[in-house]
Amino acid sequence: MKLHGKTAIITGSNSGIGLGVARELARAGADVVLNSFTDRDEDHALAERIAAETGVTARYIRADMSKGADCRALIEQAGRCDILVNNAGIQHVSPIDEFPTDKWDAIVAINLTSAFHTTAAALPMMRRAGWGRVVNIASAHGLTASPYKSAYVAAKHGIVGLTKVTALETAEEPITANAICPGYVLTPLVEAQIPDTMKKYAMSREDVIKKVMLERQPSREFATVEQLGGTTVFLCSDAAAQITGTTISVDGGWTAL
Ligand code: NAD
């Protein structure tokens, strides 16, 4: 299954899952557009490395996914969007009554509202091209909840809802929209949660990983960015043409509990 001739835009892809998804799409032949809110030499170098490794065209475009105009400008600047992967995301952990409003606003803007803007800008391009795939990187927290993650859980449940609406509005066209719901993947976003959790439970790093994080993941293993990239490539394949408006969990059994 090859994605030659397709252009994929992956938001929040200078690290973690987004970068892994971009690599797997490039390995399947898609030209890729990487993105984040920074504009450093190393961001552009990531795209150059993917191009050198796979032979596809790879670009990096700076756009801040907390700003609606930037989200739409990313798609316009790319000029073509056959595959849209809404992946940019941040996290903040706090009880609701202490949750800072600016953190709530930022999480909802980056993890949910950005996908509304990019999808709105990309669908006309997909319709013109006669083919399209929207893949939203939600979370196990799009299907279940955990304490202290109110904004994240609300935004991730929200993006699962947006996925369903996108699928219904494109149901009679050769466009699909689905959400991937990862369990824990060891990326910078998860790394950043370890010190606070160590403090909160007075635990070692190893105990936080095994007894807190992977306690809810029955496989007791992190999912990998390569597995999430592979799932995205599958959703772009002909075999997945009738899969739309649904969620695929890559969570080691978390949501089976
Ligand atoms: P990460 O921190 O490695 O990556 C997040 C990406 O988003 C980075 O590239 C970052 O630069 C980008 N980003 C942040 N703010 C941005 C902004 N304002 N504009 C543009 N880009 C921005 O984290 P990750 O774990 O790879 O997370 C990627 C996605 O996967 C997120 O949506 C996250 O919620 C989701 N997810 C992660 C896990 C996990 O265990 N790591 C589990 C479930 C879901």
Side-chain angles (χ1 to χ4, degrees):
M1 198 275 317
K2 291 287 170 226
L3 297 174
H4 292 288
K6 309 291 189 202
T7 295
I9 303 176
I10 307 98
T11 70
S13 47
N14 66 351
S15 127
I17 294 171
L19 182 56
V21 168
R23 275 223 169 84
E24 294 305 316
L25 286 169
R27 288 180 56 200
D31 294 327
V32 293
V33 175
L34 305 189
N35 153 265
S36 186
F37 59 93
T38 49
D39 197 8
R40 307 165 301 181
D41 288 346
E42 62 213 75
D43 296 323
H44 295 273
L46 285 173
E48 284 161 22
R49 206 171 311 143
I50 289 179
E53 282 166 10
T54 61
V56 304
T57 300
R59 288 177 285 162
Y60 176 87
I61 299 179
R62 193 214 82 89
D64 183 345
M65 292 299 105
S66 70
K67 299 189 169 75
D70 270 34
C71 297
R72 289 173 189 259
L74 167 66
I75 308 298
E76 297 306 327
Q77 210 180 317
R80 184 179 175 115
C81 183
D82 304 290
I83 299 164
L84 171 64
V85 183
N86 287 304
N87 168 78
I90 58 168
Q91 174 64 288
H92 183 79
V93 179
S94 169
I96 293 176
D97 52 340
E98 293 168 19
F99 210 96
T101 303
D102 61 336
K103 296 282 187 204
W104 172 281
D105 289 343
I107 289 174
V108 171
I110 295 167
N111 297 22
L112 173 60
T113 310
S114 68
F116 155 66
H117 289 294
T118 54
T119 304
L123 283 181
M125 290 183 181
M126 293 178 181
R127 288 183 169 127
R128 277 198 296 277
W131 189 91
R133 294 286 186 267
V134 179
V135 179
N136 293 325
I137 306 299
S139 168
H141 282 118
L143 304 169
T144 64
S146 295
Y148 314 121
K149 297 186 176 177
S150 54
Y152 189 84
V153 170
K156 292 300 185 182
H157 276 68
I159 203 163
V160 170
L162 175 65
T163 306
K164 293 178 185 175
V165 176
T166 308
L168 291 180
E169 291 188 14
T170 56
E172 294 185 24
E173 303 171 80
I175 297 173
T176 69
N178 293 289
I180 298 177
C181 294
Y184 273 111
V185 188
L186 194 56
T187 64
L189 182 141
V190 168
E191 272 291 347
Q193 295 174 48
I194 294 176
D196 276 357
T197 317
M198 285 169 66
K199 230 183 285 163
K200 185 168 182 300
Y201 294 108
M203 278 182 177
S204 68
R205 179 186 161 85
E206 290 64 35
D207 280 354
V208 163
I209 289 175
K210 276 218 183 99
K211 296 184 180 158
V212 181
M213 292 182 159
L214 298 182
E215 195 269 328
R216 298 189 60 182
Q217 201 144 305
S219 67
R220 303 280 181 256
E221 281 183 32
F222 286 110
T224 68
V225 300
E226 290 78 13
Q227 289 161 355
L228 294 162
T231 307
T232 305
V233 170
F234 165 67
L235 285 173
C236 295
S237 72
D238 291 342
Q242 284 299 315
I243 300 176
T244 196
T246 193
T247 57
I248 297 190
S249 292
V250 183
D251 66 3
W254 179 333
T255 42
L257 280 174

